Amino acid sequence: MKQNRFNKPFFKLCAIILALTCTLATYTFYIDKQEKDNSIMTLSKLGSRGEEVRRIQTKLKQLGFYNGSIDGIYGSATQRAVKRFQSSVGITSDGIAGSKTLLFLGLDSSSGGGSYGSYSSSDIWLLAKVIEAEARGESYVGQVAVGAVVLNRVESASFPDTISGVVYQAGAFSAVTDSNWSVSPSATSRKAAQDAINGWDPSYGCLYYYNPAKTSNKWIRTRPVVTTIGSHVFCK
């Protein structure tokens, strides 16, 4: 009878080595996948560095929450600024710039730039300034509605196609030429601007609004009324 060249202990050793090799390969694949997933899901927080941190600092400085250097280093000053911003817009104040915080800042993490959709940080700030000047003292819904009217005009072929163009169009908003324009946007106005940009439109697509107690414009009173919020009548 012919004898096998390899005995059973040898085959057992080969099986163990093969099993270990497969296990190691599977573990390596899992680690690589986790590292890739984590690179996508990384949140900016205390100790983080990079371009996203720089964008966060820039936006927070524009909104008046951060006074430090735009250095791309997520230090304690940046963390405090993030917490103040989070508190002002009513989200969890944990000092971590996660996806929700980036959304409220107008820094959509998928956009790769300091903007939300087609609107830049300066656009959002200007929109908040209009809301502050035109609707300070109105309900929160009324403030968002004023912001929505500005955005509705941007989308309309009858008006300029930028927020600044709409805001500074001659005669469009009386507050631009009076003392109200010097008032910096409050946290509420900033949040209302962001909500309007995020798609909330309490005006239901209106292009105009007016205060019946203050306007002397006869033409505006001929526009079809859609809704009234506080002291403002919103119309098409």
Side-chain angles (χ1 to χ4, degrees):
M1 182 175 178
K2 191 174 181 180
Q3 199 171 16
N4 289 331
R5 290 183 60 189
F6 304 110
N7 57 23
K8 288 183 180 180
F10 178 81
F11 281 113
K12 187 174 181 180
L13 179 60
C14 288
I16 292 172
I17 293 173
L18 180 61
L20 288 173
T21 301
C22 291
T23 300
L24 180 60
T26 301
Y27 179 75
T28 301
F29 172 80
Y30 175 78
I31 293 299
D32 287 343
K33 184 176 185 300
Q34 285 295 103
E35 288 178 350
K36 289 178 181 178
D37 289 345
N38 287 339
S39 69
I40 296 171
M41 298 174 63
T42 296
L43 305 177
S44 290
K45 56 186 178 179
L46 189 64
S48 297
R49 293 170 178 255
E51 183 57 32
E52 182 173 86
V53 177
R54 192 181 301 276
R55 292 195 296 124
I56 291 168
Q57 292 172 328
T58 300
K59 182 60 182 291
L60 289 170
K61 177 164 279 192
Q62 290 172 340
L63 295 176
F65 290 95
Y66 179 66
N67 296 317
S69 301
I70 309 299
D71 55 10
I73 301 172
Y74 205 116
S76 57
T78 302
Q79 183 188 52
R80 287 193 298 270
V82 169
K83 284 184 176 181
R84 286 194 294 271
F85 171 77
Q86 291 169 327
S87 179
S88 75
V89 297
I91 59 178
T92 302
S93 181
D94 57 9
I96 298 173
S99 58
K100 190 170 185 178
T101 298
L102 293 178
L103 176 64
F104 275 79
L105 279 170
L107 298 175
D108 183 357
S109 58
S110 65
S111 69
S115 65
Y116 182 83
S118 58
Y119 298 114
S120 68
S121 300
S122 59
D123 286 331
I124 299 170
W125 178 255
L126 182 58
L127 184 61
K129 193 170 179 64
V130 174
I131 292 170
E132 181 72 23
E134 289 278 319
R136 187 169 65 253
E138 294 294 316
S139 68
Y140 184 71
V141 174
Q143 292 184 32
V144 176
V146 166
V149 167
V150 175
L151 298 179
N152 291 339
R153 290 188 182 188
V154 172
E155 297 300 319
S156 171
S158 301
F159 294 89
D161 59 3
T162 64
I163 289 179
S164 60
V166 166
V167 171
Y168 292 114
Q169 187 176 29
F173 298 96
S174 60
V176 172
T177 58
D178 64 29
S179 59
N180 287 324
W181 197 241
S182 64
V183 178
S184 296
S186 65
T188 301
S189 295
R190 293 192 294 266
K191 184 175 185 297
Q194 190 64 64
D195 277 342
I197 284 175
N198 287 348
W200 184 14
D201 184 1
S203 80
Y204 302 104
C206 285
L207 295 172
Y208 308 95
Y209 64 88
Y210 63 94
N211 185 334
K214 295 182 178 181
T215 187
S216 59
N217 187 314
K218 294 181 179 179
W219 176 85
I220 194 69
R221 292 177 182 272
T222 68
R223 306 304 301 173
V225 174
V226 174
T227 186
T228 299
I229 306 174
S231 60
H232 286 143
V233 173
F234 292 84
C235 49
K236 296 263 184 152

